[in-house]
């Protein structure tokens, strides 16, 4: 079964989904000084590494390709890059041109005929003309065996946990069967990554393999939002182990790919005159519409806020969706309070202050209308519970509980404060007071609780008597935020934590971020 899982991963993986697991596999195979060099100045080398054989060190470079290689792909794409790898010793400060040098071509597929014959002829050219060692080839069969023998099987043998294996295949089946998966399912499944000893290379490979494997499956299903959640869970693990910077470049490249894929999907949908709807079907389609709007804007927000060079097309589409799609203001539950925070940060970054005023006011109107009746469901609600809360006043037999507090209300006031608009702040505060909404906020009591949802050391507080006056202080949230923790509040990666966990944002970070914007 594990073999078929790995074969499934390799069969349809893309290059960016292969890099980090492959680098960890190299470490398990005894390579060291491993660096990702993929990019505009890679000179035919995606990854470089060294291996000691006897008393000799050998400098390796790896060129990775996804999928099968036919003759056309070999001639047009693979061969020129391999020649470049052989003759050009530039790539990275750690590349040692004084050592014996071995180029390896890696494909997650196979060399098809007649490309395999052409490769043999090419290696004669490499040997006789370029005076280099013949290029090795690692194809899917070898990669499958190496992942199994060097990594996956030893990992399960190391932990000897039937529960761990069962959880893996249960999550795998949920994705392949198109079961509903939300941020809380993904947070709960990936929580075990936080418990693994990060100094053990087997554990690193398993975390990297799972994150890229499951995000790939979700991408194949057209679920870019859920794929981003899995990638965010990987970022969480790396932050906790103070290792994020070592993997930052590869993660940013992969997330840019997820974002651009969603861009293409939304562009194709938006050609129609119908409202944006990526997930809707059946009776509840009207509720999937705002979910589609908010989820799309969240992924685009993360791209705009975390990418070194955000795509102008994504920024433009983000603003157009916010302007044209009314569903952006229909926040279904407090699970989507983080949507408001991320969207607000983007608008501040882009200098769209008037759009931010309109957005916050419209969300406030929606929230107050809901709280005149029974309110919106709390953080942690399932999609069904969100819908039941909205419909229960109209349909008998549905369970609901009147909600008097709101995390979304806290986010609205904090974003109005960030904007620095006194009249808007006091207007929102007055409206919330008028319908009896109490602010709900969280304070985190330990470093461990920074990384987990619903932890016993995360305390929920309510403030029914909040001031309606704009004061020279930040928010209720910042008064309870720990001043000392292991996360740099200036690190953009913290946005992925907010996106995954849903129940908190980091006021000192977003305040600094807003000031810089």
């Amino acid at each position: 079964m594990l073999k078929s899982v790995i074969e499934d991963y390799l069969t349809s993986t893309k290059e960016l989904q292969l890099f980090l697991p492959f680098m960890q596999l190299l470490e398990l195979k005894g390579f060291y000084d491993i660096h990702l060099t993929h990019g505009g100045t890679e000179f035919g080398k995606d990854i470089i590494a060294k291996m000691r054989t006897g008393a000799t060190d050998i400098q390796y470079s790896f060129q990775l390709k996804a999928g099968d290689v036919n003759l056309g792909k070999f001639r047009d794409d693979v061969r020129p890059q391999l020649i470049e790898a052989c003759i050009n010793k530039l790539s990275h400060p750690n590349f040692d041109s004084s050592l014996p040098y071995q180029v390896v071509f890696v494909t997650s597929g196979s060399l098809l005929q007649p490309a395999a014959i052409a490769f043999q002829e090419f290696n004669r050219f490499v040997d006789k003309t370029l005076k280099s060692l013949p290029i090795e080839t690692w194809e899917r069969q070898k990669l499958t065996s190496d992942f199994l023998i060097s990594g996956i099987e030893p990992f399960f043998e190391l932990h000897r946990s039937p529960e761990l294996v069962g959880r893996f295949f249960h999550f795998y089946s949920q994705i392949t069967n198109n079961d509903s998966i939300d941020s809380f399912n993904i947070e709960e499944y990936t929580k075990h990554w936080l418990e693994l000893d990060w100094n053990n290379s087997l554990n690193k490979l398993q975390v990297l393999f799972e994150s890229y494997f499951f995000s790939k499956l979700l991408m194949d299903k057209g679920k870019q939002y859920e794929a981003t959640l899995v990638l965010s869970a990987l970022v969480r693990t790396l932050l906790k182990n103070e290792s994020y910077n070592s993997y930052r470049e590869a993660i940013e490249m992969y997330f840019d790919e997820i974002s651009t894929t969603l861009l293409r999907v939304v562009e194709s949908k938006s050609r129609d005159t119908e409202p944006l709807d990526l997930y809707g079907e059946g009776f509840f389609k009207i509720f999937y519409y705002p979910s589609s709007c908010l989820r799309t804007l969240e992924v685009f927000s993360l791209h705009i806020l975390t990418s070194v060079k955000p795509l102008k097309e994504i920024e433009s589409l983000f603003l157009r969706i916010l302007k044209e799609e009314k569903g952006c203001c229909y926040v279904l539950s407090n699970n989507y309070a983080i949507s408001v925070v991320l969207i607000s940060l983007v608008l501040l970054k882009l200098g769209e202050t008037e759009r931010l005023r309109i957005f916050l006011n419209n969300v406030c109107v929606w929230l107050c209308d809901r709280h005149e009746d029974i309110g919106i469901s709390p953080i942690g609600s399932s999609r069904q519970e969100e819908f039941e809360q909205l419909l229960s006043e109209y349909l008998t037999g549905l369970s609901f509980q009147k909600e008097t507090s709101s995390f979304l209300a806290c986010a609205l006031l904090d974003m109005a404060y960030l904007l620095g608009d006194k009249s808007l702040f006091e207007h929102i505060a007055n409206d919330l007071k008028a319908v009896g909404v109490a602010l709900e906020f969280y304070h985190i009591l330990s470093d461990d609780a920074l990384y987990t949802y619903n932890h016993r050391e995360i305390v929920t507080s309510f403030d029914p008597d909040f001031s309606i006056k704009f004061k020279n202080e930040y928010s209720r949230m910042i008064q309870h935020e720990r001043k000392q923790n292991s996360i740099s509040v200036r690190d953009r990666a913290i946005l992925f934590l907010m996106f995954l966990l849903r129940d908190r944002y980091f006021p000192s970070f977003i305040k600094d971020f807003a000031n810089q914007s």
Side-chain angles (χ1 to χ4, degrees):
M1 183 66 175
L2 282 172
K3 181 180 179 182
S4 65
V5 167
I6 294 172
E7 287 175 339
D8 181 23
Y9 165 67
L10 293 172
T11 297
S12 58
T13 192
K14 298 179 180 179
E15 287 175 31
L16 293 178
Q17 298 165 343
L18 183 58
F19 285 150
L20 288 186
F22 181 76
M23 290 171 68
Q24 199 57 48
L25 177 65
L26 290 179
E27 183 176 325
L28 286 168
K29 287 172 67 66
F31 288 85
Y32 69 97
D33 201 13
I34 303 165
H35 298 274
L36 178 67
T37 54
H38 172 80
T41 56
E42 67 180 51
F43 301 111
K45 311 170 192 68
D46 286 322
I47 295 167
I48 61 171
K50 296 183 178 73
M51 168 70 87
R52 176 169 287 273
T53 303
T56 305
D57 285 329
I58 299 175
Q59 177 68 65
Y60 280 79
S61 72
F62 300 87
Q63 177 61 226
L64 278 64
K65 295 295 178 187
D68 293 333
V69 178
N70 58 24
L71 184 59
K73 185 175 181 179
F74 173 71
R75 286 176 173 171
D76 299 338
D77 188 15
V78 175
R79 189 175 187 273
Q81 289 186 307
L82 292 178
I83 291 175
E84 184 78 5
C86 290
I87 65 176
N88 196 324
K89 302 301 174 67
L90 298 174
S91 70
H92 189 277
N94 288 57
F95 185 92
D96 191 342
S97 59
S98 68
L99 297 176
Y101 178 42
Q102 177 67 64
V103 177
V104 181
F105 173 63
V106 181
T107 175
S108 61
S110 301
L111 275 168
L112 305 177
Q113 295 293 0
I117 297 174
F119 204 103
Q120 288 180 327
E121 291 296 323
F122 173 62
N123 256 337
R124 292 191 182 95
F125 167 77
V126 170
D127 180 26
K128 301 298 184 183
T129 306
L130 301 184
K131 306 300 182 183
S132 295
L133 292 173
I135 296 170
E136 294 182 13
T137 58
W138 295 8
E139 301 176 58
R140 181 168 57 231
Q141 185 175 359
K142 174 177 172 52
L143 290 179
T144 300
S145 176
D146 283 352
F147 271 117
L148 271 173
I149 295 172
S150 299
I152 307 302
E153 286 181 342
F155 173 84
F156 286 116
E157 178 64 22
L158 171 69
H159 293 281
R160 294 179 177 273
S161 171
E163 179 187 357
L164 189 150
V165 178
R167 188 167 57 229
F168 177 92
F169 284 110
H170 175 67
F171 195 59
Y172 173 65
S173 66
Q174 282 184 298
I175 296 174
T176 55
N177 293 332
N178 279 318
D179 294 346
S180 178
I181 297 174
D182 59 25
S183 61
F184 304 105
N185 302 134
I186 292 172
E187 191 280 331
E188 180 62 29
Y189 175 80
T190 59
K191 193 178 292 184
H192 79 274
W193 296 351
L194 300 174
E195 301 166 359
L196 299 174
D197 178 7
W198 196 247
N199 293 317
N200 188 313
S201 294
L202 285 174
N203 292 335
K204 288 182 184 179
L205 176 62
Q206 182 65 17
V207 170
L208 292 169
F209 173 77
E210 284 191 64
S211 58
Y212 277 76
F213 172 62
F214 288 132
S215 64
K216 181 203 79 71
L217 286 180
L218 290 163
M219 286 282 284
D220 291 346
K221 298 284 186 181
K223 297 182 177 181
Q224 292 82 20
Y225 183 83
E226 290 82 356
T228 304
L229 285 168
V230 173
L231 193 65
S232 299
L234 171 61
V235 172
R236 168 174 72 164
T237 303
L238 296 173
L239 284 173
K240 185 176 186 296
N241 289 284
E242 301 180 0
S243 301
Y244 178 70
N245 285 332
S246 300
Y247 298 86
R248 178 191 296 272
E249 185 177 357
I251 289 173
E252 288 180 348
M253 285 191 295
Y254 184 30
F255 180 53
D256 284 349
E257 181 182 327
I258 294 175
S259 304
T260 53
T261 301
L262 181 60
L263 169 67
R264 291 192 293 270
V265 171
V266 175
E267 283 179 332
S268 66
K269 293 276 187 181
S270 62
R271 294 191 188 102
D272 303 327
T273 57
E274 296 294 322
L276 176 63
D277 190 0
L278 303 182
Y279 312 100
E281 57 184 22
F283 177 75
F284 288 115
K285 185 171 182 177
I286 189 174
F287 297 112
Y288 284 100
Y289 164 59
S291 176
S292 292
C293 294
L294 291 168
R295 287 180 168 204
T296 300
L297 290 182
E298 279 189 37
V299 176
F300 287 167
S301 293
L302 282 176
H303 171 82
I304 295 168
L305 296 171
T306 64
S307 179
V308 176
K309 294 182 178 179
L311 289 176
K312 293 298 182 183
E313 295 90 336
I314 288 181
E315 291 182 354
S316 175
L317 186 56
F318 172 94
L319 293 173
R320 181 157 66 86
I321 291 172
L322 193 60
K323 179 181 179 181
E324 297 178 359
E325 302 288 351
K326 294 181 179 179
C328 299
C329 301
Y330 302 156
V331 183
L332 298 178
S333 76
N334 283 284
N335 291 335
Y336 290 94
I338 292 301
S339 307
V340 172
V341 175
L342 293 173
I343 291 168
S344 298
L345 289 177
V346 170
L347 292 174
L348 285 171
K349 179 178 180 179
L350 299 180
E352 296 282 349
T353 53
E354 184 56 33
R355 290 200 187 196
L356 179 52
R357 289 185 183 92
I358 295 170
F359 172 66
L360 293 176
N361 182 72
N362 289 343
V363 174
C364 179
V365 170
W366 159 263
L367 179 63
C368 290
D369 285 347
R370 297 305 309 160
H371 273 271
E372 282 186 330
D373 298 310
I374 58 174
I376 57 177
S377 59
I379 291 176
S381 301
S382 66
R383 177 168 287 181
Q384 179 179 341
E385 289 168 337
E386 289 176 343
F387 294 166
E388 287 187 355
Q389 183 76 9
L390 293 170
L391 289 171
S392 56
E393 59 186 297
Y394 307 109
L395 300 176
T396 58
L398 294 180
S399 60
F400 73 94
Q401 178 177 343
K402 182 173 175 60
E403 298 293 332
T404 57
S405 64
S406 174
F407 181 43
L408 174 59
C410 187
L412 283 171
L413 283 178
D414 286 352
M415 296 307 103
Y417 183 94
L418 276 180
L419 180 58
D421 188 323
K422 178 180 177 181
S423 62
L424 177 65
F425 181 95
E426 295 181 351
H427 170 71
I428 290 175
N430 273 312
D431 284 355
L432 294 173
K433 279 275 193 179
V435 294
V437 181
L439 301 188
E440 181 180 354
F441 52 92
Y442 296 77
H443 34 112
I444 300 165
L445 305 182
S446 74
D447 282 354
D448 286 343
L450 284 167
Y451 305 97
T452 55
Y453 168 75
N454 202 24
H455 192 278
R456 60 185 175 85
E457 292 187 337
I458 299 175
V459 178
T460 305
S461 296
F462 304 96
D463 181 18
D465 301 316
F466 63 92
S467 172
I468 62 174
K469 295 296 182 183
F470 187 90
K471 298 180 179 179
N472 291 325
E473 61 185 26
Y474 184 46
S475 69
R476 287 285 179 174
M477 285 280 288
I478 203 170
Q479 295 174 30
H480 296 276
E481 186 183 37
R482 278 175 58 89
K483 295 182 179 179
Q484 301 294 327
N485 59 61
S486 59
I487 296 180
S488 168
V489 295
R490 298 185 183 277
D491 196 327
R492 291 170 296 156
I494 207 170
L495 293 161
F496 287 101
L497 269 186
M498 292 159 48
F499 174 74
L500 174 69
L501 299 177
R502 315 304 299 181
D503 66 346
R504 89 289 303 262
Y505 46 91
F506 298 86
S508 56
F509 166 79
I510 62 175
K511 183 181 181 182
D512 288 344
F513 191 96
N515 289 338
Q516 292 167 10
S517 300

